Amino acid sequence: MKGWDGLVSSALLGTDRRPAHFEELPEHIQERLGDGNLLDAAALATVYKRAGRKPLRELEPLPAAPGEDRPLPRPVAIRRLAAMLGGFQTSALGEWLRAADARGWGVPPEHLPALADYARHRAEYRPLVMAAAGRRARWLADLNPEWRYLHAAVAESNDPEMWTHGNTIQRRTWLRAIRSQDPAAAREALAEVWPTESAATRVDFLSLLADGLSLLDEDFLESALDDRSREVRRGAARLLARLPGSQYGERMTERLHSHLTSTQGVLAVDLPRRIAQSMERDGLDSQNPEGIGKRAWWFLQIVANTPLSAMETAWLKTAVEGCAPEVLQAGWTEAAIRESSEEWARALLRAESSTGDRSPAELLRLLPADEWARAVDVLRQTVDVAELVGGLPVPWPPSLATMILDQLAKVGTNRAWARLASITARAAPPDVLNHPITREPTGEEDTWRRRLVETLTFRSEMYEELS
């Protein structure tokens, strides 16, 4: 609108520095302004802008969205969903969606736009929103470019057009689906377009080969070690390190044995003196992070990428010469997590080993869930419990949740327990939500206790409403 920018400049700079020129405004505003000031002019101009638009013509109405077969939950459950979308106890939103989906409930269509918006920048919520949108996913995705991730819910796995002409999300979804059905066909499709894809796309598509990974993928991944992109090379190396019996594993084993020998009850380490080009090709990073020397860093990476079958858990109790034991322990931790080794995870935790940049929770989660409570009870003497359980998948097994809630019920009002209480409030499984702590009185000063009880109660009511 003519003159509007001038009003904005006067408001920002002040009328002393930038006098308002009302004569630039439309004639109808000037007639009604009279002797008014800048604020009067801005008010009139705002109304003029909003109400003075010409009617839009030749518009086509939106196509009707497909119907949905799922029934809706009770009104009280829908009201709780609306409250979470409005900002109350929003952290339970994903749990509500999972519980509703598991019980066969749909989501009222009027709440789908808010859910689609919520998941825009929260990738972990996208599968839940896709499931909630159901047959309306494509309709929503076409309405708003920011909701285009919903196309992943409707990509047809058996339609090659999705791979050749689809958008990035549709192509990724197609490749993941084909990989689950026919790993060789997915690999061949990827190899065909590989030279023409961007580095970011190559990295993204390469990660999908983790599902159904086998030695049949080895040649393709070995060729990717020569890619011009460092991130692609590292992605290929991570996948090759997970392949039992691969040439990559053999190369790493040879490197380990050239720098580590076990003799007379001692692990003798000869740290690498340089990083060869072949080592960098295999994904080893030449640049050491802060807090560790270059040679120790190179050796740690060799250990981390060597198959655990080339090492022994008994080495955890063996004296180490030539480097700090923590270097070996951090490398073994990485290898145990990479191979999801229950045996090594248990041995590392029992030996109270250094986990390097990893959290002990990443080892703990490799153990059977029924062992978590016993392991936490032992490790709590040396590791912060909140850090230990904070990285575990939820919901926790009842034994662990009950043990933590029993402890929280005994500790009074000390604020040091607030973080653990916050984690436990979200991680306790449905059958532990009525723990006796929810029936104990909480004083006004017991902020974390009150929030714990409120969250447990909120979740308990939520499950009752969705039953």
Side-chain angles (χ1 to χ4, degrees), residues 347-366:
L348 286 161
L349 289 171
R350 284 177 176 172
E352 299 181 7
S353 301
S354 169
T355 56
D357 292 334
R358 297 286 194 166
S359 166
E362 295 182 78
L363 292 175
L364 182 60
R365 66 192 302 167
L366 298 178

Side-chain angles (χ1 to χ4, degrees), residues 2 17 81 124 150 275 343 386:
K2 184 180 179 183
R17 295 178 60 188
L81 171 63
E124 68 275 15
L150 289 170
I275 184 166
E343 177 190 6

Side-chain angles (χ1 to χ4, degrees), residues 369-374 396-406 429 432:
D370 59 5
E371 293 185 24
W372 290 358
R374 187 165 57 253
W396 294 342
S399 56
L400 175 60
T402 300
M403 183 183 78
I404 299 296
L405 287 171
D406 286 347
V432 180

Side-chain angles (χ1 to χ4, degrees), residues 59-63:
L59 294 178
E60 295 184 6
L62 290 173

Side-chain angles (χ1 to χ4, degrees), residues 145-159:
E146 294 181 332
W147 301 341
R148 60 183 178 272
Y149 68 86
L150 289 170
H151 278 300
V154 291
E156 297 293 339
S157 62
N158 59 352
D159 184 1

